[in-house]
Amino acid sequence: MAVTATEPTAARPTTAPISRSGAAAVTAGIVLLVAVLAVVDITQGTAAVGPSEVLKALTGQADPDDASVVVASRLPRMTAGLLVGAVLGTAGAVLQAVSRNVLASPDTLAVNAGSYLALGLAGATGVSLPMLASSGVAFVGGLAAAAVVLGLSGLGTGTVRLVLAGTALMLGLNSMTEGLLLLYPEQTEGLYAWNQGSIAQNGFDGVLQMLPIALVGLAGLMLTARRVDALALGDDAARGLGVPVRSTRVTVVVLAALLSAAAVTLAGPIGFVGLCAPALVRPLARRFRGFARSRTAMPAAALTGAALVLGSDVLLRALVADDRAVSVPTGVVTSLVGAVFLVAMALRVRDTAGAGAPDRLRIPSRAVFLATVAVLVVALVGLVIAAVLVGDTKLLLGDVVNWAQGRAGRTVSFVLDTRVPRVLAALGAGAALALAGTLVQAVTRNPLAEPNVLGVTGGGALGAVILVTTVPAAGTWGVAGAAFAGSAVTAVLVFGLAARGGFRQNRLVLVGIGVASGTAALISLLIVLTDPFNATKALTWLSGSTYGRTMPDVVPVALALVVGIGVAVARRTELDLISLDEDTPRLLGLRLAPGRLGFLVLSVVLSATAVACAGTIGFVGLVAPHAARALVGRRHVRVVPVAVLLGATLVCAADLLGRTVLAPAQLGAGLMTAVIGTPYFLYLLVRSRR
């Protein structure tokens, strides 16, 4: 498979700006906007301290109680918003310039996820770190993550590779951190809430400690501005001008990671500011000559980032009641805005990457296929037996036989009544996600497409969470229906936007990632706004856990799986033709549109029922089809059964390991599959570069 560069990614304009003097006026306008937002932000809050009281507090004429509210809470919050927005906007601008990639940012480079994991590891040790030490830990983690993403994606080699590498690494790192939160709840208390991103402060201590770090990073980047401008012309041109390309890139990435670490330490991850702020400034450089150089573009991006953070906080407090707005992180709003930006930028990408067939055409012998199926069946049967017998209570096969015949004791019956549905849920969800991934990859001819990456799984989780948080008494079929509705809406959105010019790799995957980010932000918002009991139920779906599943929960996914396998096997020839190219099916008289639509609808049903049954489980729809094609070739009469067996095996093994290895603590199957699937996803990206 091939993932290629898809647009001119230079961060500098290709047309001559037409005005120099207008840049000062635009900058003044941005400064005025930031000032207005700062004033409005100070006047918002739960306490009855309005604009007049704020003015009196600033002039020293207010009541002591009002003054304490303004000085201890609102001014630090506003100042933190200014600082965080400025450093993230600057970091995003220089990362895009030095990588010549318009989608580079602290989010897409997994800097936030690396910092989150580093702080989680530090918290799990039980060591209480001061803020400056926490910033150092976050800096090391964020820099390491950025180095991995840039190493895997390359610099200036295409937009989609960087976003895919960053997204995959982010999912894996976040899964590891969530595992730490579950294993060490006391040591990491408060870290989950911090990860949502909030500029709320208790005094100026945090701002004052992070301010010197931010100033050092900003000053360092301003000193490298001329070298960054030279890099935007291309490596050869920069070397011709005497610029040390490699050392300049390393310096800029280190300084950007330092700025991101300061922002993360102060307010948690505030998503997508580093992506949106430079995107808003970039069109100005095509019109105003003053923004054509990094020395002026970076301050403009800093001001725009500050306006984004403060504007999000103001909008949040204007739309949500004051007592609820306190609990809603500002990062949720910026993530929603950033998701829209990512989708819009994906639609503007000049997509030249073809949606070619994912693998070489090879047809192993029938004996190889039968041997593969036999080995997988034996492995799956052994795994199922182990999953049923092993757990907090060890059982024997005789106990299972007695339970099946209704002759087991009360203890054995209770254990198996709770354990068997869990095993069946894992098997059904894994098989359904694997089949859904097989269908999507065949229809789109995109080897990186799968329900989780394309946002379909996230849409199903959003639908289920909406129902769980609004109708706590909803039953199995209600949750399945809500998950299907959510998956259907996101699928229509993603496939509809990406269908222009065919389901090409870059547009489809980038749109899917943007939609997935939006659904994740909405889910976080719902969990924060609902009561704790419903929030706990909602988090159960999101962790990919089979805990508490019953036999009725397995019925929808089982029915969808039977129908899906039947349709896939019956239409296997059509799947083979659709996965080849655009012309061959038409020459044979096959109507592509109805066939594609039918397979996509089926994949949505499979993904939705899997989410309803076992929550959000990622990467199964990617790993299983790839591994199946590697084992038995590309003919779907063979790929479908092998992929289904592999998916069921993977999720069942993940569920078994999650509930036994660290017993009595338990980790959801979704966390385990993310840890397993992330290296495989990154391996596919590395292989595609060769």
Side-chain angles (χ1 to χ4, degrees), residues 486-549:
S487 294
V489 171
T490 54
V492 169
L493 184 61
V494 172
F495 293 121
L497 291 174
R500 184 177 59 187
F503 296 99
R504 295 183 180 273
Q505 290 178 356
N506 293 9
R507 182 174 296 120
L508 177 65
V509 175
L510 292 179
V511 170
I513 290 175
V515 172
S517 300
T519 58
L522 289 173
I523 289 172
S524 297
L525 181 62
L526 288 170
I527 290 177
V528 169
L529 292 179
T530 191
D531 65 75
F533 177 76
N534 291 338
T536 302
K537 293 181 62 178
L539 288 172
T540 301
W541 295 105
L542 301 178
S543 67
S545 174
T546 58
Y547 178 79
R549 295 300 182 264

Side-chain angles (χ1 to χ4, degrees), residues 627-639:
R629 287 192 296 268
L631 291 171
V632 298
R634 284 183 47 214
R635 292 178 57 191
H636 284 84
V637 69
R638 298 181 177 182
V639 170

Side-chain angles (χ1 to χ4, degrees), residues 194-221:
W194 168 88
N195 187 50
Q196 306 304 311
S198 175
I199 61 174
Q201 302 291 311
N202 185 16
F204 280 98
D205 290 345
V207 175
L208 293 177
Q209 291 184 51
M210 290 299 104
L211 183 60
I213 298 176
L215 292 177
V216 169
L218 292 172
L221 289 176

Side-chain angles (χ1 to χ4, degrees), residues 415-435:
V415 171
L416 290 177
D417 286 343
T418 56
R419 189 179 295 174
V420 170
R422 293 191 63 170
V423 176
L424 294 179
L427 293 173
L433 289 172
L435 181 55

Side-chain angles (χ1 to χ4, degrees), residues 41 47 55 86 178 199 216 228 238 244 288 291 441 473 497 576 578 583 587 597 634 652 655 664:
D41 192 63
L55 181 60
E178 290 174 15
I199 61 174
V216 169
V228 171
F288 302 105
F291 294 114
Q441 290 179 15
L497 291 174
D576 290 338
I578 287 178
D583 298 328
L587 292 175
L597 179 62
R634 284 183 47 214
C652 188
D655 183 66

Side-chain angles (χ1 to χ4, degrees), residues 16-239:
I18 64 175
S19 173
R20 180 190 297 270
S21 60
V26 173
T27 303
I30 300 176
V31 171
L32 180 61
L33 174 62
V34 172
V36 171
L37 290 173
V39 171
V40 175
D41 192 63
I42 295 175
T43 62
Q44 294 177 313
T46 55
V49 180
S52 60
E53 288 80 7
V54 171
L55 181 60
K56 292 179 181 179
L58 296 177
T59 57
Q61 302 174 359
D63 179 87
D65 293 335
D66 294 342
S68 65
V69 170
V70 174
V71 174
S73 176
R74 297 192 184 179
L75 278 177
R77 184 186 73 196
M78 180 271 292
T79 309
L82 288 174
L83 182 60
V84 169
V87 299
L88 290 179
T90 305
V94 296
L95 287 174
Q96 291 178 16
V98 77
S99 65
R100 299 193 295 277
N101 193 319
V102 296
L103 294 179
S105 74
D107 306 280
T108 53
L109 291 182
V111 174
N112 290 341
S115 299
Y116 187 30
L117 176 60
L119 291 173
L121 289 171
T125 62
V127 179
S128 179
L129 297 175
M131 179 165 286
L132 285 177
S134 298
S135 179
V137 171
F139 168 69
V140 172
L143 182 61
V148 171
V149 174
L150 290 175
L152 290 172
S153 64
L155 290 169
T157 59
T159 54
V160 72
R161 183 188 298 279
L162 182 139
V163 176
L164 285 174
T167 301
L169 187 61
M170 177 189 67
L171 290 173
L173 295 180
N174 283 342
S175 296
M176 295 173 65
T177 310
E178 290 174 15
L180 290 174
L181 299 184
L182 292 174
L183 295 176
Y184 303 97
E186 295 182 0
Q187 294 88 336
T188 58
E189 184 179 2
L191 196 58
Y192 177 82
W194 168 88
N195 187 50
Q196 306 304 311
S198 175
I199 61 174
Q201 302 291 311
N202 185 16
F204 280 98
D205 290 345
V207 175
L208 293 177
Q209 291 184 51
M210 290 299 104
L211 183 60
I213 298 176
L215 292 177
V216 169
L218 292 172
L221 289 176
M222 290 299 293
L223 292 175
T224 63
R226 297 186 66 179
R227 292 185 177 185
V228 171
D229 288 335
L231 284 180
L233 301 175
D235 290 358
D236 294 335
R239 291 191 183 96

